[in-house]
Amino acid sequence: MVKLLRKIFLVDLFTGLMVTFRNQRPKYIYTEQYPGERPKVAERYRGAPRLNINPENGETLCISCNLCALACPEGLIVVTSERNEQTKRKDLTTFTYDTSRCMFCGLCEDACPVDALELTQDFELATYTREGQIWDRQMLEEGPRPTPYKC
Amino acid sequence: MADEQKPEGSQQPPPAAKPAAPKPAAPAPKPPATMAATPWTSEMARDLKERFGERVKETSTYLGQNFIVTTPDGAIPVLEYLKLEADFDYLVDITAVDWPKRADRFDLVWVVYSFARNERVRIKTCIFDGFKPPTAVGAHLTANWLEREVFDMFGIEFDGHPDMRRILMPDEWSGHPLRKDYSILQQDQRWVQENLGIESGQ
Amino acid sequence: MPDSTFLDSTELVLNMGPQHPSTHGVLRVILKLDGEKVMGTSCVIGYLHRGVEKIAENRTWAQFNPYVDRMDYVAAVSNGLGYCLAVEKLLGVEAPPRAQAVRVILTELNRIASHLVWLGTHALDIGAITPVFYCFREREEALNIFEKYCGARLTTHAFRIGGLLYETYDGFEREVKAFCKMFPPKVDEYEELLTNNRIWAGRLKNVGVLTADECKEYGVTGPVLRAAGVKWDLRKAQPYSGYEKYDFEIPTRENGDTYDRYIVRMREMRQAVRIIEQAVEGMPEGPIMGKVPKVIKPPVGEAYVSIEAPKGELGYYVVSDGSVQPYRVRVRPPSFVNLQALDRMVRGGLVADVVAVIGTLDIVLGEVDR
């Protein structure tokens, strides 16, 4: 008898639906509206490389010590510099970073004595060409510019 | 700790940097000569020396890890003895180390473990290139793939192995990658061209 | 093996893989079948061979560290721990207590993450689709902790030789504790779905039996060995990284079939939570980096160091010639050795069981082929 009533009033169906609707609470929704709304990655995330500049005068922080190039397991960083006759210091001329071979291990970042080279939170590194993966100094200083999307 | 110095210039990818001479220090006769190993004295070590006499050359310990150096024909008997008499019933690993400057070119290493004693022992032997050491498959079935891998990587053929084929590299590949004279950029050009239809894998 | 078999009219040679969804990667198994019955198998591996050991000989000791993450990529932290311990052994240094505690927490979280991948994919192979979503949901929480701690989710490069590079972030302990609180009920949830499920038990019980003696003969370690009744775990047998301080049990079962391996792994996850709770509770203060020179140059010598990775005994045999580069790094991969027992486990069984057995061995082809 009870069984029949359960069947008539669709008790099982409603219990099932309750579970379904309970999981519709916004708290449980994991879907991200990706290009419109970019996920927030962790602070220590190792993403796109960046060569920091001094915000006051726009000069690079890099002292061209070449330590990052030596630390890199893949040998993908090439630093060239020339000696400045006046200050007796090395001035950075070019800095290339081949992101196509980078495995984002962070060893270059650890090696840098002046925090000039940094792996940032940018993660959108896709390009249309192979050559686009090789970043020069200007690209490294400006960082990638992801296309903004509207939702 | 990240700023290790590499021995040479940085522009090139590090692989190309190491043609043939990884400067294996100086020890032409034997590597343990420079390894600060101390003699290993225990009942088992004595027992082994008594039983195998000349075939057990040395029983030492380094960093708290015991190892036995045997003559090439003594390794398998020692392995079998350890399994049957001393409960070393788990063959952990077989591997080799290439020392191209030495007359006996390869170090062949077996690692065995005993569940009952909770003890690990390495058996080492030096063999020359082309020597065919006897297989350990009779004593431990694990040896099957492990020996195939050693053959694949070093070109050491095991005598009496049931299935001596390459395991990781393609069957028709020529060359044995983990030998020190095999450069990291080297590849079997002919195989790549025939099978992949490209000029080069680099 | 497959040559003469075509002549026999009752036997069929079937190629499974390398692009088969339930071979967990690029494993190719050649099956010799008599109807539904498996008469023999032979594995073809090496599709993912990258020559990790060769790469090691051409990098410095510290530079090789990120590469080991790429072997067993679902348990990258364990790989890194094994390598760091091996080099530390050669150098004769030990990580400070705080570093050891953090290492234990992350390794155990990684063990949970690895087992969750195993459970999800294994259940998917058997035909239960729900667990994979549940498992990946919880795995996400563990990976989030990795991401916040070291900046990467999968190929973490979390440890350095001599200790740690990163100090824990703010809220690390709170999040780990929250994970420990959240996780055991989730294991109950999985067990509710599977343990007493008739289809699940029917598909797994008495399938792929491997007795304790066979395990030793084949060198099989990890949960597969423990499911056969051998109470052996390197964390207890030869403790490393401070495991002797923690109180936990080694789950074992007797039959050594696929179902028992499932039970053992489920209990292992609970034990991992127990270890994490203890480690995070008594986390000592202090430095996180041991006394390691800037240029790592271990003295001439060799060492074999192994740890209990989620899949079994993961060993590193490292040889130094006193230079900045490793002379030889040999990895003893648990998956490679365990996979060898596949033939014994499926012989005489049904074709459908091959899928279950590959799943239960918990192989990662990145580690098999290296």
Side-chain angles (χ1 to χ4, degrees), chain A residues 30 40-47 69-74 103-107 109-110, chain C residues 59 62-63 66-67 70 137 147-152 155-157 160 165-169:
Chain A
Y30 286 95
K40 203 173 148 17
V41 292
E43 209 175 299
R44 292 177 181 173
Y45 186 79
R46 301 196 298 256
L70 289 171
C72 180
E74 287 289 332
M103 56 180 172
F104 304 99
C105 62
L107 282 173
E109 188 185 29
D110 307 345
Chain C
R59 298 287 184 273
Q63 277 179 349
Y67 290 89
R70 283 148 180 87
R137 183 185 63 191
E147 187 186 346
K148 281 189 181 166
Y149 173 70
C150 59
T155 48
T156 48
H157 194 202
R160 299 295 196 275
L165 177 70
Y166 308 104
E167 184 50 83
T168 55
Y169 59 91

Side-chain angles (χ1 to χ4, degrees), chain B residues 1-8 13-18 22-25 31 34-36 62-65 67 83 89-100 107 109 111 113-115 118-120 122 124 137-146 148-149 153-154 165 167-169 176-184, chain C residues 42-47 49 51 53-55 57-63 65 89-92 160-161 165 215-221 225 230 232 234 236-238 289 292-296 299-306 313 315 317 319-321 323-328 330-333 336-337 339-340 344 368-370:
Chain B
M1 41 151 291
D3 30 336
E4 261 83 9
Q5 255 118 49
K6 245 184 270 155
E8 74 301 300
K18 233 184 148 200
K23 52 166 175 165
T34 47
M35 190 162 84
Y62 182 67
L63 296 172
Q65 298 180 342
F67 62 92
K83 184 189 177 190
D89 47 359
Y90 163 32
L91 177 67
V92 181
D93 201 1
I94 303 175
T95 187
V97 185
D98 184 12
W99 302 90
D107 266 357
V109 182
V111 185
Y113 178 82
S114 158
F115 287 103
N118 187 18
E119 208 180 309
R120 211 185 286 281
R122 285 200 302 270
K124 264 171 74 170
V137 173
H140 297 273
L141 285 174
T142 337
N144 190 332
W145 280 21
L146 293 170
R148 276 177 72 186
E149 196 188 337
M153 294 294 146
F154 291 93
R165 280 182 299 137
I167 188 162
L168 295 177
M169 305 296 288
H176 298 282
L178 276 180
R179 290 186 173 210
K180 287 281 175 186
D181 48 17
Y182 194 97
S183 153
I184 192 165
Chain C
S42 89
C43 288
V44 182
I45 58 173
Y47 292 96
H49 179 61
E53 291 169 15
K54 188 75 183 173
I55 291 173
E57 293 171 10
N58 293 277
R59 298 287 184 273
T60 63
W61 290 95
Q63 277 179 349
N65 203 349
K89 179 101 185 166
L90 271 184
L91 282 168
R160 299 295 196 275
I161 296 160
L165 177 70
C215 280
K216 288 176 185 171
E217 191 65 12
Y218 278 103
V220 173
T221 45
L225 178 68
V230 183
W232 185 77
L234 270 171
K236 281 266 196 226
Q238 299 182 338
M289 195 68 188
V292 176
K294 277 224 155 190
V295 178
I296 294 168
V300 178
E302 54 182 45
Y304 177 85
V305 175
S306 59
E313 175 178 346
Y317 175 66
V319 181
S320 166
D321 64 344
S323 73
V324 291
Q325 293 177 322
Y327 192 75
R328 171 105 170 87
R330 154 76 184 167
V331 187
R332 190 265 182 202
F336 177 80
V337 181
L339 183 60
Q340 202 179 163
R344 169 66 59 92
V368 174
D369 300 340
R370 274 156 297 136

Side-chain angles (χ1 to χ4, degrees), chain A residues 123-143:
Chain A
F123 51 86
E124 287 159 321
L125 298 166
T127 55
Y128 287 104
T129 54
R130 254 169 211 270
E131 291 68 37
Q133 295 270 311
I134 301 170
W135 290 18
D136 58 3
R137 183 178 164 188
Q138 189 197 356
M139 179 82 174
L140 282 165
E141 284 174 354
E142 285 167 1

Side-chain angles (χ1 to χ4, degrees), chain B residues 105-202:
Chain B
R105 182 170 174 179
F106 297 106
D107 266 357
L108 208 53
V109 182
W110 291 262
V111 185
V112 284
Y113 178 82
S114 158
F115 287 103
R117 293 162 176 249
N118 187 18
E119 208 180 309
R120 211 185 286 281
V121 169
R122 285 200 302 270
I123 303 167
K124 264 171 74 170
T125 183
C126 305
I127 57 168
F128 58 86
D129 196 4
F131 179 81
K132 289 187 178 177
T135 178
V137 173
H140 297 273
L141 285 174
T142 337
N144 190 332
W145 280 21
L146 293 170
E147 282 175 0
R148 276 177 72 186
E149 196 188 337
V150 171
F151 165 68
D152 192 355
M153 294 294 146
F154 291 93
I156 301 171
E157 256 183 78
F158 287 84
D159 197 25
H161 188 282
D163 187 21
M164 198 82 257
R165 280 182 299 137
R166 283 177 178 273
I167 188 162
L168 295 177
M169 305 296 288
D171 280 341
E172 309 83 24
W173 194 269
S174 66
H176 298 282
L178 276 180
R179 290 186 173 210
K180 287 281 175 186
D181 48 17
Y182 194 97
S183 153
I184 192 165
L185 292 175
Q186 195 178 331
Q187 57 181 359
D188 186 350
Q189 291 285 359
R190 197 184 48 79
W191 189 91
V192 171
Q193 281 162 11
E194 270 173 23
N195 290 278
L196 305 178
I198 51 172
E199 206 42 50
S200 154
Q202 300 298 340

Side-chain angles (χ1 to χ4, degrees), chain C residues 85-103:
Chain C
L85 286 173
V87 182
E88 283 162 18
K89 179 101 185 166
L90 271 184
L91 282 168
V93 295
E94 202 177 49
R98 184 175 172 82
Q100 289 191 349
V102 175
R103 281 179 173 191

